[in-house]
Amino acid sequence: MIAEIQVLPRPSGTEDDPHAFVEAAIAAIGASDLHFEVSALGTTLEGSPDDVWAVLRAAHEATLAVGATVTITFIKLAEGVDDGGPTMDRLTRKFRD
């Protein structure tokens, strides 16, 4: 399964660290064993469905745990019925150097 997550915590951080709550979500993803890539507008990750769902929840909840008062999370999913399903590499290989 591939997922892309974008968290929109409010506030997004503190005065000293304006993106701290977004970075907490990225840290939650990074604490997993899943392959992931951070981009300007979201983070893409891949793994088994159970693992992906758990990490998506952890990332969302991480923003609230560190101080966001509200978080809206957008998630996109791609999954096949077997290992022949989409992967990050299969979807982006032709666009990479």
Side-chain angles (χ1 to χ4, degrees), residues 80-86 90:
V81 294
D82 58 29
D83 287 342
R90 283 187 195 125

Side-chain angles (χ1 to χ4, degrees), residues 2-88:
I2 301 172
E4 181 178 65
I5 184 170
Q6 178 187 31
V7 294
L8 299 173
R10 293 295 172 252
S12 60
T14 64
E15 189 173 315
D16 293 334
D17 190 354
H19 299 95
F21 304 155
V22 173
E23 291 168 2
I26 295 168
I29 296 167
S32 76
D33 291 333
L34 300 181
H35 173 67
F36 71 97
E37 294 180 11
V38 176
S39 67
L41 298 177
T43 300
T44 305
L45 55 142
E46 66 184 1
S48 73
D50 287 342
D51 291 342
V52 169
W53 282 113
V55 172
L56 294 173
R57 180 177 184 175
H60 173 84
E61 292 177 348
T63 64
L64 299 168
V66 295
T69 56
V70 173
T71 297
I72 298 171
T73 299
F74 295 94
I75 298 169
K76 292 188 229 178
L77 300 169
E79 181 179 13
V81 294
D82 58 29
D83 287 342
T87 67
M88 291 167 58

